[in-house]
Amino acid sequence: MNIIIQKFGGTSVATEELRERVAKKVICSKEEGKAPVVVVSAIGRSGDPYATDTLIGLANRAFKEQSSRELDMIMACGEVISAVIMANTIKALGYEAVALSGFQAGIITDKYHGDAEVVQVDCEPILNLIKEGKIPVVTGFQGATMAGDITTLGRGGSDTTAAILGEALKADIVEIYTDVDGVMTADPRLVPEAKVIDNICYDEIYQMAEDGAKIVHPRAVEIARRGSLTLKIKNTFSDAPGTIINGNMGFKGSSYRNANEDNLLTAIAHKNGITQFTVSFNEDSVEESEKFMNELTNKHISIDLINFFTDRKVFTVDEKNAEKLELLLKSLGYKFKVTEGCSKITAIGHKIRGVPGVMARIVKALASQDVKILQSSDSHTTISCLVKQSDMEKAVNALHQEFNLSR
């Protein structure tokens, strides 16, 4: 049926002018013989009347304590409003469109309110509309349980909706529209020389998303990889070709355009708001380590950049969990040191596996800018360094330049 999923974020539908621009992009796909399925986020960002954060604030002012079920109900309203307005905008331009909630679109989830998992998708409602020549406009970020209770899919859930519908409907492609021309070699707000990456593989974009790049949600990448689904990141505000995301690596015209060492890396990602903990241990044993990790799990504290030694354990947490972790460590009687205000800088590239000297180049580049590495870790496709947040911008630019990513 030549189905194409087109997802538009909150900034893309924030004004009447932008919504008309979006509608024209959707209609263009229709006129090219494709069957567009539109997914929309809530209109605008925090502070705008119908943005998700604004609705959460409204609920929080009314009730200090509320059930996650009711919170999901109010959070889902933003996307419902957006879908209705977007469908009517398309209609005003002469094409039939129908707004659908996640549940009406056939998205069934588990009962975990606030971060639900999709358990099945009934494609019939959307397929029937496509057969009738209509354009479905689906609310992102939400579904419902089998009992009909509204659920939300967690932050970035509209990307998840787009990917899950793409997989279920066997779409040719999922286009995710944002406010940049595609996936870039670094945040262009920090690195003016950052370039758009033409093509990137699932592993690399997943790592970028996990390590701070907000271009696409990691869960959407996981779904795309599972279904061998092609994603495309495009700019709502331009006709730039964008970035293709799929499983291919090393093909002509991709981000891996040269074979020399200057292009070992694909991108530099960064994540702020990191706190480092160094916890002292008088006795290192399997039982003690297991007990310690179980305590973290029970408190729902996720740790990163993990280095365990015989006398100490060094790791990081998001700053939002730092106070909770401090209280836990004090209650358990551990001695610990806290380093606040850190950033995680991650060099990403599938070519670095087994290549000697990459870490040496990173150390040299950061040292040239007097950036101290507080901690590091690596995988087959990444090398991450913890630095002070005040050094973050210098670090990102130094690595971007060292590995010639602006070429």
Side-chain angles (χ1 to χ4, degrees), residues 225-290:
R225 177 165 45 193
R226 181 181 72 197
S228 298
L229 185 66
T230 297
L231 304 178
K232 193 167 191 178
I233 308 299
K234 300 192 73 175
N235 193 338
T236 305
F237 312 103
S238 77
D239 294 319
T243 299
I244 293 174
I245 302 169
N246 56 26
N248 296 324
M249 292 188 290
F251 51 87
K252 186 178 180 181
S254 76
S255 62
Y256 324 106
R257 50 193 174 273
N258 296 316
N260 59 50
E261 286 192 357
D262 287 340
N263 291 283
L264 278 172
L265 297 185
T266 299
I268 308 296
H270 72 280
K271 184 185 289 187
N272 295 328
I274 306 295
T275 301
Q276 183 192 54
F277 280 78
T278 302
V279 184
S280 299
F281 281 74
N282 294 325
E283 176 187 358
D284 183 57
S285 67
V286 173
E287 292 78 10
E288 182 65 21
S289 292
E290 183 179 4

Side-chain angles (χ1 to χ4, degrees), residues 1-208:
M1 298 178 72
N2 203 14
I3 294 172
I4 179 173
I5 312 295
Q6 294 180 293
K7 179 263 174 177
F8 298 92
T11 56
S12 296
V13 296
T15 67
E16 185 176 349
E17 180 183 355
L18 291 175
R19 290 190 290 272
E20 187 168 320
R21 182 192 291 265
V22 165
K24 288 178 178 177
K25 287 183 180 290
V26 174
I27 289 168
C28 182
S29 295
K30 181 79 171 174
E31 291 177 343
E32 289 173 352
K34 300 171 184 175
V37 176
V38 181
V39 176
V40 291
S41 298
I43 293 172
R45 290 181 174 170
S46 181
D48 294 322
Y50 311 116
T52 302
D53 286 335
T54 304
L55 296 172
I56 292 171
L58 178 64
N60 288 339
R61 286 194 297 274
F63 300 100
K64 291 184 179 179
E65 294 184 9
Q66 57 188 307
S67 75
S68 56
R69 178 183 178 276
E70 274 70 46
L71 190 58
D72 268 359
M73 288 183 69
I74 194 167
M75 284 198 292
C77 291
E79 276 72 19
V80 171
I81 293 168
S82 184
V84 171
I85 299 300
M86 197 66 246
N88 285 338
T89 303
I90 294 171
K91 287 180 185 179
L93 296 177
Y95 286 78
E96 282 297 310
V98 178
L100 300 171
S101 70
F103 184 64
Q104 290 171 326
I107 298 174
I108 306 300
T109 75
D110 59 20
K111 300 177 182 179
Y112 194 87
H113 288 284
D115 194 20
E117 291 279 352
V118 177
V119 296
Q120 69 180 73
V121 179
D122 176 7
C123 297
E124 188 174 355
I126 291 178
L127 291 177
N128 286 341
L129 290 174
I130 291 173
K131 290 173 185 176
E132 294 169 4
K134 298 174 181 177
I135 299 172
V137 182
V138 183
T139 57
F141 177 59
Q142 63 182 255
T145 66
M146 290 295 292
D149 283 334
I150 294 171
T151 53
T152 60
L153 308 181
R155 287 299 185 174
S158 292
D159 288 353
T160 304
T161 300
I164 207 76
L165 288 178
E167 180 185 42
L169 295 167
K170 296 180 172 56
D172 291 349
I173 195 167
V174 174
E175 294 181 341
I176 295 178
Y177 284 84
T178 181
D179 56 1
V180 293
D181 285 343
V183 180
M184 304 192 76
T185 52
D187 187 335
R189 294 169 297 184
L190 301 178
V191 185
E193 302 81 21
K195 299 293 185 183
V196 174
I197 301 169
D198 298 327
N199 302 80
I200 192 168
C201 67
Y202 297 130
D203 287 347
E204 289 181 327
I205 191 64
Y206 180 86
Q207 203 63 58
M208 287 182 69

Side-chain angles (χ1 to χ4, degrees), residues 203-211 264-269 304-305 344-354 358-359 362 376-385:
D203 287 347
E204 289 181 327
I205 191 64
Y206 180 86
Q207 203 63 58
M208 287 182 69
E210 279 286 294
D211 288 324
L264 278 172
L265 297 185
T266 299
I268 308 296
D304 191 18
L305 288 178
K344 178 184 177 183
I345 313 297
T346 303
I348 299 163
H350 80 282
K351 284 185 177 181
I352 67 173
R353 182 173 183 174
V358 179
M359 187 65 192
I362 290 174
S376 67
S377 69
D378 64 89
S379 69
H380 292 317
T381 58
T382 66
I383 296 176
S384 296
C385 295

